[in-house]
Amino acid sequence: MAGYLLFATERYALPILAPLAQALHAGGHEVAAWFQDGAAGAVLEGVPSIGLEQALAMRPRAVLSAANWVPPFVAGAKVQLFHGFNVQKREDARGHFRVRGLFDLYCTQGPATTRPFQELAAREGHFAVKETGWPKLDPLFRDDGGQAAALRAPAGGRPVVLFGSTFTERLSAAPHLYDRIAADIAGGGRYWLLTLHPKCAPDLFERYRALAGDNARFVEPEQVMAAQRAADVLVSDTSSIVSEFIVQHKPVVTFRNRVPQPHMLDFDDPARLPEMLARALSPEPALMAEIVRYADSIHPYRDGRSSERVVAATEDFIAGRLGTLSRKPLGALWRGLQIRRDLGYWGPSRS
C-alpha cells in the first residue's frame, strides 16, 4: 500500500504536520515529507525527508498539504489542511476561502470554516469538504510529556503571559509594545513567554531574545504549542495565534486587531497594556461567554484527535464515500504549469 506524503513550504507548517505524522505511524501507514521553499531542510522526527523525484516515484496514497498549493502532478489525493485560522488579514477572495482548483479534499477546522467551504463545494463541484478539526491543536488537548509544565515552572506561581506577533509589518504589535513589555518584565509581577513569527525581522528577534531572564523566556517555534498550554493569557495582534490560543477558552489581549471581535480585549495605546492584562487575568463572565462561543465556532474539538479524523476523512475520500467530483477548472491547469515551471519539472504526471 502506498504511503502518505506530507507537504509544506514554510517552517511554521511543521507543528501542523507533526501530529499527523504520529497518527499515521500509529495507524501503520508509511510516511514521508517533502519540504520546499522556506521549509527546505526542515525535519520531522521519525519521518524521512524526500525531494521531488522521490515524491514522484513514491506515488503516495495522498498528499497532505499545510501550504496554499500542492503539485498536481504528484500521485494521490490532494488534501488541504490549512496553515492558520481565518483571521481576516485579507478579503475572502484573496485569503482563507480562495479556491485554486488544486485540492480534492478540504479538511476544515470547525463550523465557521466548514459552512463557507461547503457552499463553495456545492457551487464548484471539484472538491469535497469534511470537518475534522486542525491537527496543529491536538497537542493542546493531550499529554505533552511535561513540556508546558516545564515552561511554566520558572513563574513560581506568578501569572504567565504569552506574547506572539504576526510578521505582517502593518499589523505587527512587536515594534509598538516592546517598551511596555520590557517594563512589565522588569517589574517581575508576571512571567512572560515571548515568541515571534519566523518571518519577523531579525532585529526584532534580537530585541525580544534579549529580554529573557528571571522574568521571561524566549520560546522557539517548535515550543509554541507547549507555551500556549502553559500561559494564562495571550498578548498579540492580528496573528492567527489569537484563534489558536482562544480555543483553550483562555482570554486574549490584542493590539490594533484588524477586525476586533467581542471575544478579544483590543486596545490601541501601548500605555494601556498593564490595564488590559489585569482585565484578562480577571475576566468578566460576559467576556468568557464570548470566548467560549467563538472558540466553539472555529474549533469545537477538544479531544486532541483531529489528526486521526483527517486520516479517516482522507481514507473515506479515496474510497469514494465523500461523493464524486467534477473535473478541475481550466485555471487549475494553468496553475499546474506555473508549479512545474517553478519546480523545473516537465516530466509526465504521476496521478
Side-chain angles (χ1 to χ4, degrees):
M1 180 184 297
Y4 277 74
L5 180 63
L6 308 179
F7 180 74
T9 58
E10 299 291 347
R11 296 186 71 86
Y12 53 69
L14 299 185
I16 304 168
L17 298 177
L20 261 173
Q22 294 174 8
L24 287 165
H25 282 145
H29 297 280
E30 293 184 8
V31 189
W34 177 20
F35 297 138
Q36 278 288 124
D37 303 335
V43 175
L44 277 179
E45 184 178 355
V47 179
S49 294
I50 63 176
L52 170 58
E53 292 297 333
Q54 291 170 297
L56 291 164
M58 177 185 175
R59 300 188 65 84
R61 185 170 182 79
V63 184
L64 306 181
S65 174
N68 288 330
W69 59 277
V70 66
F73 46 84
V74 174
K78 311 304 188 300
V79 182
Q80 170 61 268
L81 305 173
F82 302 101
H83 58 73
F85 283 104
N86 177 27
V87 293
Q88 297 178 284
K89 286 187 182 181
R90 306 173 183 87
E91 299 301 321
D92 284 349
R94 295 183 56 244
H96 201 71
F97 301 109
R98 185 179 183 182
V99 173
R100 295 181 171 93
L102 296 173
F103 292 98
D104 303 309
L105 171 64
Y106 285 77
C107 288
T108 54
Q109 299 149 329
T113 299
T114 304
R115 285 190 295 267
F117 272 105
Q118 286 176 333
E119 293 172 3
L120 288 167
R123 186 183 74 199
E124 302 290 342
H126 56 80
F127 61 89
V129 178
K130 184 70 174 180
E131 185 176 294
T132 59
W134 198 28
K136 183 178 181 179
L137 301 192
D138 285 351
L140 289 180
F141 302 110
R142 63 190 190 200
D143 181 26
D144 69 352
Q147 296 179 61
L151 287 174
R152 191 177 177 90
R158 292 175 289 175
V160 177
V161 182
L162 172 63
F163 174 70
S165 182
T166 184
F167 70 92
T168 307
E169 188 173 352
R170 63 186 171 82
L171 300 175
S172 177
H176 304 284
L177 295 185
Y178 174 82
D179 289 340
R180 295 293 174 174
I181 290 174
D184 201 85
I185 290 171
R190 291 175 274 258
Y191 186 77
W192 286 76
L193 298 172
L194 308 168
T195 192
L196 296 173
H197 191 286
K199 286 188 173 182
C200 282
D203 65 306
L204 274 178
F205 271 94
E206 292 178 12
R207 294 174 70 192
Y208 275 90
R209 285 184 193 278
L211 294 176
D214 292 340
N215 300 328
R217 172 172 175 169
F218 192 87
V219 177
E220 301 300 335
E222 60 269 20
Q223 298 174 297
V224 169
M225 299 312 294
Q228 291 191 50
R229 280 178 61 118
D232 300 305
V233 168
L234 171 71
V235 175
S236 189
D237 39 44
T238 309
S239 170
S240 63
I241 197 175
V242 170
S243 296
E244 295 176 17
F245 190 85
I246 213 165
V247 163
Q248 303 174 94
H249 296 171
K250 295 178 182 179
V252 295
V253 174
T254 56
F255 180 74
R256 300 177 185 173
N257 188 276
R258 182 176 179 269
V259 187
Q261 302 288 323
H263 60 273
M264 307 172 187
L265 291 171
D266 194 66
F267 70 115
D268 62 6
D269 180 359
R272 295 185 63 199
L273 178 61
E275 168 200 342
M276 304 306 287
L277 286 172
R279 289 178 60 186
L281 289 166
S282 298
E284 298 176 355
L287 174 63
M288 289 306 304
E290 288 292 343
I291 287 172
V292 171
R293 180 198 62 78
Y294 177 75
D296 291 351
S297 74
I298 62 168
H299 198 279
Y301 304 98
R302 303 175 62 81
D303 59 359
R305 297 185 63 82
S306 292
S307 294
E308 286 82 356
R309 283 187 289 272
V310 167
V311 176
T314 303
E315 290 295 327
D316 283 345
F317 176 81
I318 293 170
R321 291 188 286 268
L322 299 185
T324 303
L325 305 184
S326 60
R327 297 182 64 178
K328 292 284 191 276
L330 288 176
L333 176 61
W334 173 245
R335 293 184 188 96
L337 291 173
Q338 291 177 312
I339 292 170
R340 284 178 179 272
R341 180 199 63 195
D342 293 343
L343 294 176
Y345 177 76
W346 297 102
S349 172
R350 301 298 179 91
S351 59

